[in-house]
C-alpha cells in the first residue's frame, strides 16, 4: 500500500516536529497536522517562524521548507482524518488525576476520543499509528473501538513510539538511533508495517528500522524511558554520598562511563529529572506491573521516582540550611526554569518544585530563563495549588535580564543547564549581590575555581 495522505492528530511537541520532518523528507505525501487547540494551530501557521508554538533548534528551517508545500496545520480534524490513508495519534497521555489509577495510570481519554472520532468520520480503509506513548495493550482498546463501528471499514493499527528528546528533537528525528514499528503479524498487518517503513526509508537506513509485534513496541517505549530515568536517578543517588565523602560525582561518572558496557551518556548528576514523560511513563509502568500483581517489579521502578523527588527536596533543603536556616524575606535568583536546556517546555521541571519549597520558607524567587514566559512560570506554580495565585505572584517574580535577576540576591540557584550561563560576567554578578554571595549549581555547569576565586560560596550538586 502506498500512503499519499497523512493526518496527525495532536500538534504538540511530538506531532509538530515529527510530521514536519516526515513532510520534509516525503514531498509526495500530503501531511496535515490537526489540533483542537486553535491558538496552537495559529502559531504553527504564523508567518514569523519565531512564533512557532515550540522552540526546537533547527525546527524553523524544516517547517519553512515544507509548510504549505505538503505540510499543513489545521483545526479541521474530521476532514483531515477522512482524507487520510494513515492517521497518527499524537495526543497527550498524562497521568490520571481522578478515579481508578489516579496519580499513576495514563489517562487515555484523549486516545479514546481520537479512536471514536476516527471511527465516526472514516469512509475508507486506514492505517492508524499510535505515536503517543501508551500502556502496553492499548492497541487492543483502539482496535475494539474502531472495529465496532459496523461500517465495514478496515483499520490496521500500528505502534510507532517516538524517542525524540526535547531540545534535540530535529536532530533526533533526522538521525534516529532506531525507528520502532510494531504491528499485527498477519498479512494485512505486515503490509501496514511496510507502508510505514517505506515512509521512514526516505531518510532512515533500513538497518535502523526495527519491526516487532504490537505489544513489544508499546512496552519498549515505556522501558526505554524507565531505563533512561533510572540512570539519572542512579547517578543522583550517588551525589549525596559524594558530598559527604569528598568524591566528585563528575569524576565518578567519567570513570564508570569509560566502561563500554556502561557508556558515558545520561550520567549527568542534576537537581532531578523533569519533563513531561519520565515520571508519567514510570508511574504508568508501575501501575501496569501492579495491575498484573507484580509487586516487586512495581516497587523496583517506583524507586526511580522516589529518588528523583528526594533529590529536588534535598537541593532546596541545602539552600535553606546554607543560608543560615532562614530564607524568609531573602531574594533567591533562579537561572533557568525549563526542564532542560534548548526548550521552552517546563513540564515537571525541577525548578517548579524547588521554587515551591523555597516560597514555603517565605523566600522571594526571581527567575530568568531565556525561553520561558513569566505567565508560564506562574501557571506552573499555581498548578501545584500550594497557595493563592496572588501569593505566588508576589513571591515569584521574573526578569528578562539575568543581571537584574541576580541584583541584591542572597543566592543564585542554577536550575537549567542553558549554555549562556557559563559565559556571564560572574565578577559583575558577584558585585551586585548581597554578601556572602552563594551559588547553588543544580546542574554542575559552572567553573567552580573561577567562582571561588571571585569570592562566591559555591556549591555544586555531588561535589
Ligand atoms: P502535547 O501536550 O504537547 O500535545 C498534544 C496535543 O494534542 C495538544 O496540542 C492537544 O490539544 C492535542 N489534542 C488532544 N486531544 C485531541 C483531540 N481529540 N483532537 C485533536 N487534538 C487533540 O503532548 P506531546 O508532548 O506532544 O506528547 C504527545 C505524546 O507523545 C504523549 O503520549 C507523550 O508521552 C509522547 N512523547 C512525548 C515526547 C516529548 O518529548 N514531549 C517524546 C516522545 C513521546
Ligand atoms: C526523554 C527521552 O530522552 C526521549 O528518548 C523520550 O522520547 C522522551 O523523554 C519522551 O518520551 O518524552 P526528554 O524528556 O525530552 O526526553 O529529555 P531528556 O534529555 O531525556 O531529559 C530528561 C530530564 O533528565 C531532563 O530534566 C534532564 O535535565 C535530565 N537529565 C538527563 C539529567 O538530569 N541527567 C542526564 O544525564 C540526562
Amino acid at each position: 500500500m502506498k500512503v499519499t495522505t497523512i493526518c496527525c492528530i495532536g500538534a504538540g511537541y511530538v506531532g509538530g516536529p515529527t510530521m514536519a520532518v516526515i513532510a520534509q523528507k516525503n514531498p509526495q505525501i500530503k501531511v496535515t497536522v490537526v489540533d483542537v487547540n486553535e491558538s496552537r494551530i495559529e502559531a504553527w501557521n504564523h508567518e514569523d517562524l519565531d512564533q512557532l508554538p515550540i522552540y526546537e533548534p533547527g525546527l524553523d528551517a524544516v517547517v519553512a521548507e515544507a509548510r504549505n508545500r505538503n505540510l499543513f496545520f489545521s483545526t479541521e480534524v474530521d476532514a483531515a482524518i477522512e482524507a487520510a490513508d494513515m492517521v497518527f495519534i499524537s495526543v497527550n497521555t498524562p497521568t490520571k488525576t481522578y478515579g481508578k489509577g489516579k496519580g499513576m495510570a495514563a489517562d487515555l481519554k484523549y486516545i479514546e476520543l481520537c479512536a471514536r472520532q476516527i471511527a465516526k468520520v472514516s469512509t475508507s480503509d486506514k492505517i492508524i499509528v499510535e505515536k503517543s506513548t501508551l500502556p502496553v495493550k492499548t492497541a487492543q482498546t483502539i482496535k475494539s473501538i474502531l472495529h465496532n463501528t459496523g461500517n465495514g471499514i478496515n483499520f490496521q493499527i500500528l505502534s510507532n513510539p517516538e524517542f525524540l528528546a526535547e531540545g534535540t528533537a530535529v536532530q533526533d528525528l533526522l538521525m534516529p538511533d532506531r525507528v520502532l514499528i510494531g504491528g499485527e503479524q498477519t498479512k494485512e498487518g505486515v503490509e501496514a508495517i511496510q507502508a510505514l517503513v517505506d515512509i521512514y526509508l526516505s531518510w532512515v537506513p533500513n538497518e535502523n528500522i526495527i519491526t516487532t509485534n504490537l505489544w513489544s513496541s508499546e512496552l519498549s517505549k515505556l522501558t526505554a524511558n524507565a531505563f533512561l530515568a533510572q540512570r539519572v536517578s542512579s547517578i543522583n543517588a550517588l551525589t549525596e554520598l559524594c558530598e559527604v565523602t569528598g568524591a566528585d560525582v563528575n569524576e565518578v561518572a567519567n570513570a564508570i562511563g569509560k566502561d563500554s558496557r556502561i557508556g558515558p551518556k545520561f550520567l549527568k548528576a542534576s537537581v532531578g529529572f523533569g519533563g513531561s514523560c519520565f515520571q508519567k511513563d514510570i508511574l504508568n509502568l508501575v501501575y501496569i506491573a501492579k495491575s498484573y500483581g507484580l509487586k516487586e517489579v512495581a516497587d523496583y521502578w517506583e524507586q526511580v521516582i522516589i529518588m528523583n523527588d528526594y533529590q529536588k527536596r534535598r537541593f532546596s533543603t541545602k539552600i535553606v540550611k546554607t543560608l543560615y536556616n532562614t530564607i524568609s524575606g531573602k531574594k533567591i535568583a533562579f537561572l533557568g526554569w525549563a526542564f532542560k536546556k534548548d526548550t521552552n517546555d517546563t513540564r515537571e521541571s525541577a525548578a517548579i518544585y524547588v521554587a515551591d519549597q523555597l516560597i514555603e520558607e517565605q523566600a522571594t524567587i526571581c527567575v530568568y530563563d531565556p525561553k520561558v514566559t513569566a505567565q508560564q512560570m506562574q501557571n506552573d506554580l499555581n498548578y501545584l495549588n500550594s497557595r493563592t495565585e496572588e501569593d505566588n505572584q508576589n513571591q515569584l517574580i521574573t526578569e528578562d535580564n539575568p543581571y537584574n535577576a541576580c541584583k541584591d540576591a542572597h543566592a543564585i540557584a542554577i536550575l537549567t543547564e542553558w549554555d549562556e550561563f557559563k559565559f556571564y560576567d560572574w565578577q559583575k554578578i558577584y558585585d551586585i549581590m548581597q554578601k556572602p554571595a552563594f551559588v547553588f549549581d543544580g546542574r554542575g555547569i559552572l567553573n567552580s575555581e573561577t567562582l571561588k576565586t571571585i569570592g562566591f560560596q559555591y556549591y555544586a550538586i555531588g561535589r
Side-chain angles (χ1 to χ4, degrees):
M1 174 189 181
K2 217 120 206 78
V3 173
T4 58
T5 314
I6 288 177
C7 163
C8 172
I9 311 178
Y13 282 85
V14 169
T18 312
M19 291 303 127
V21 170
I22 285 184
Q24 184 199 31
K25 299 294 179 185
N26 291 278
Q28 75 289 2
I29 300 179
K30 180 180 178 191
V31 180
T32 306
V33 191
V34 292
D35 205 297
V36 284
N37 182 334
E38 283 178 19
S39 60
R40 216 167 202 187
I41 291 297
E42 239 171 64
W44 279 113
N45 281 322
H46 208 287
E47 243 174 75
D48 177 0
L49 291 163
D50 282 342
Q51 304 292 320
L52 294 182
I54 286 160
Y55 171 70
E56 279 293 338
L59 181 61
D60 47 357
V62 180
V63 171
E65 184 183 331
R67 197 173 58 182
N68 297 332
R69 177 189 71 184
N70 64 323
L71 173 67
F72 302 90
F73 295 94
S74 164
T75 50
E76 311 259 310
V77 182
D78 286 357
I81 294 173
E82 202 197 342
D85 313 313
M86 183 176 268
V87 180
F88 285 79
I89 302 180
S90 192
V91 300
N92 35 331
T93 50
T95 304
K96 255 186 114 177
T97 53
Y98 55 89
K100 190 160 178 274
K102 178 179 172 181
M104 296 222 95
D107 190 343
L108 298 181
K109 71 177 169 209
Y110 305 111
I111 297 287
E112 183 174 337
L113 274 173
C114 287
R116 289 187 185 280
Q117 200 161 2
I118 295 168
K120 195 174 91 197
V121 306
S122 293
T123 51
S124 59
D125 294 354
K126 295 187 196 313
I127 298 171
I128 310 303
V129 185
E130 299 174 346
K131 192 48 131 171
S132 299
T133 302
L134 297 170
V136 55
K137 289 285 187 184
T138 305
Q140 211 162 43
T141 310
I142 296 179
K143 188 174 169 184
S144 157
I145 293 169
L146 292 175
H147 286 187
N148 283 312
T149 56
N151 54 8
I153 290 168
N154 289 312
F155 294 102
Q156 277 302 317
I157 296 148
L158 301 178
S159 159
N160 173 222
E162 186 47 59
F163 295 100
L164 68 81
E166 289 179 28
T168 53
V170 173
Q171 194 190 322
D172 295 342
L173 286 165
L174 291 176
M175 282 180 291
D177 286 348
R178 78 321 207 169
V179 166
L180 177 59
I181 302 172
E184 274 186 328
Q185 305 300 303
T186 57
K187 180 173 165 287
E188 295 77 13
V190 171
E191 278 170 12
I193 292 175
Q194 191 56 45
L196 186 51
V197 167
D198 287 342
I199 292 172
Y200 282 107
L201 276 177
S202 299
W203 79 99
V204 181
N206 197 21
E207 60 273 22
N208 290 6
I209 303 178
I210 304 171
T211 59
T212 65
N213 78 29
L214 274 169
W215 320 131
S216 305
S217 174
E218 287 179 338
L219 187 57
S220 297
K221 173 62 196 176
L222 292 184
T223 308
N225 274 357
F227 267 60
L228 290 168
Q230 182 198 40
R231 264 175 90 93
V232 179
S233 274
S234 295
I235 197 74
N236 280 347
L238 288 161
T239 53
E240 200 171 14
L241 197 54
C242 286
E243 288 166 27
V244 296
T245 57
D248 177 329
V249 75
N250 286 350
E251 292 179 354
V252 174
N254 182 46
I256 63 165
K258 294 278 186 217
D259 185 326
S260 61
R261 293 167 303 173
I262 296 175
K265 293 185 182 163
F266 252 74
L267 286 177
K268 191 87 198 83
S270 68
V271 53
F273 60 73
S276 60
C277 294
F278 277 178
Q279 173 161 312
K280 136 177 117 59
D281 291 347
I282 293 179
L283 288 173
N284 188 4
L285 191 63
V286 169
Y287 182 75
I288 295 168
K290 275 189 184 158
S291 66
Y292 284 102
L294 310 177
K295 184 182 175 309
E296 287 76 7
V297 178
D299 289 350
Y300 176 78
W301 287 109
E302 193 162 21
Q303 199 58 37
V304 174
I305 302 287
I306 293 171
M307 181 47 64
N308 197 49
D309 288 340
Y310 176 67
Q311 188 76 343
K312 291 180 267 188
R313 239 185 0 263
R314 193 168 86 74
F315 188 69
S316 52
T317 305
K318 174 84 186 173
I319 295 176
V320 178
K321 267 196 188 155
T322 312
L323 295 183
Y324 315 106
N325 280 316
T326 174
I327 54 169
S328 176
K330 290 182 182 169
K331 174 178 175 180
I332 299 178
F334 272 26
L335 294 182
W337 187 267
F339 81 97
K340 63 184 281 196
K341 73 174 180 178
D342 293 339
T343 178
N344 60 348
D345 195 348
T346 62
R347 290 176 287 182
E348 290 300 326
S349 179
I352 306 167
Y353 295 91
V354 174
D356 187 56
Q357 285 150 14
L358 297 179
I359 290 173
E360 219 35 51
E361 294 291 332
Q362 300 185 344
T364 301
I365 309 296
C366 186
V367 193
Y368 165 77
D369 186 288
K371 289 289 173 199
V372 181
T373 62
Q375 187 56 52
Q376 184 60 49
M377 295 179 203
Q378 292 297 335
N379 293 348
D380 291 338
L381 204 53
N382 290 337
Y383 189 74
L384 297 186
N385 259 326
S386 304
R387 59 194 74 77
T388 65
E389 294 192 5
E390 201 187 341
D391 284 348
N392 279 338
Q393 246 164 25
N394 292 333
Q395 297 304 113
L396 182 91
I397 50 178
T398 36
E399 282 287 351
D400 47 21
N401 174 308
Y403 296 93
N404 291 347
C406 297
K407 188 167 181 302
D408 297 326
H410 289 259
I412 295 170
I414 311 280
L415 274 307
T416 313
E417 71 281 22
W418 286 102
D419 288 330
E420 64 175 64
F421 299 162
K422 291 185 232 169
F423 307 112
Y424 287 172
D425 182 344
W426 282 96
Q427 180 65 56
K428 178 174 163 186
I429 292 177
Y430 179 79
D431 292 343
I432 57 177
M433 283 179 69
Q434 304 272 356
K435 307 294 176 318
F438 294 90
V439 170
F440 297 90
D441 190 348
R443 296 290 183 162
I445 55 165
L446 299 179
N447 185 318
S448 57
E449 289 316 310
T450 311
L451 267 79
K452 284 178 188 162
T453 309
I454 291 172
F456 281 105
Q457 308 276 326
Y458 176 76
Y459 160 82
I461 208 128
R463 280 193 261 152

